[in-house]
Amino acid sequence: MKVKTTIYIYHTKYAWQEEPEYSFYSIKIDDTEYTTLVDQQVFEIEVPDNYDPTAQKLAALQKEKEKAQDEFSKKVASINERISKLQAIEYTA
């Protein structure tokens, strides 16, 4: 299967840069003081007819899940540490 897409090529050069950079975007953005549109090109790309993104989607979700579990574990550890500190404070009335 052939897929067509338009790519926009931009020239970017900030005052601190010695050489400009060229960037490629799938969207057209407005020119600025530092970034200007150079050209646009239409590309035709061959994508396999039997392409199935399921494995990649599952891998991405697994990675997201692991990140969430890690963040949750860190948050629980932080809360447990705060609880321990409060329980260690000597109460005198």
Side-chain angles (χ1 to χ4, degrees), residues 8 16 25 33 36 45 52 66 68 72 74 80 86 91:
Y8 300 91
W16 48 266
Y25 298 99
E33 177 182 356
T36 56
I45 302 164
D52 183 2
E66 289 168 2
F72 176 76
K74 287 178 181 177
N80 284 337
L86 285 173
Y91 177 74

Side-chain angles (χ1 to χ4, degrees), residues 71-81 83:
E71 290 171 356
F72 176 76
S73 294
K74 287 178 181 177
K75 182 69 173 178
V76 169
S78 172
I79 292 169
N80 284 337
E81 181 180 349
I83 289 170

Side-chain angles (χ1 to χ4, degrees), residues 8-75:
Y8 300 91
I9 302 114
Y10 288 89
H11 170 278
T12 302
K13 185 168 187 305
Y14 293 97
W16 48 266
Q17 291 179 301
E18 291 184 24
E19 297 293 325
E21 295 178 353
Y22 292 91
S23 304
F24 304 88
Y25 298 99
S26 59
I27 59 171
K28 189 172 183 180
I29 59 174
D30 293 335
D31 288 344
T32 68
E33 177 182 356
Y34 306 105
T35 302
T36 56
L37 177 66
V38 175
D39 197 7
Q40 67 183 46
Q41 296 285 323
V42 176
F43 288 92
E44 188 170 88
I45 302 164
E46 184 68 35
V47 176
D49 289 331
N50 61 348
Y51 174 70
D52 183 2
T54 304
Q56 290 166 280
K57 289 180 178 183
L58 287 171
L61 285 170
Q62 184 65 33
K63 186 176 179 180
E64 184 179 345
K65 176 182 156 185
E66 289 168 2
K67 180 181 175 188
Q69 287 174 325
D70 184 51
E71 290 171 356
F72 176 76
S73 294
K74 287 178 181 177
K75 182 69 173 178

Side-chain angles (χ1 to χ4, degrees), residues 86-93:
L86 285 173
Q87 289 173 336
I89 295 174
E90 189 176 310
Y91 177 74
T92 55

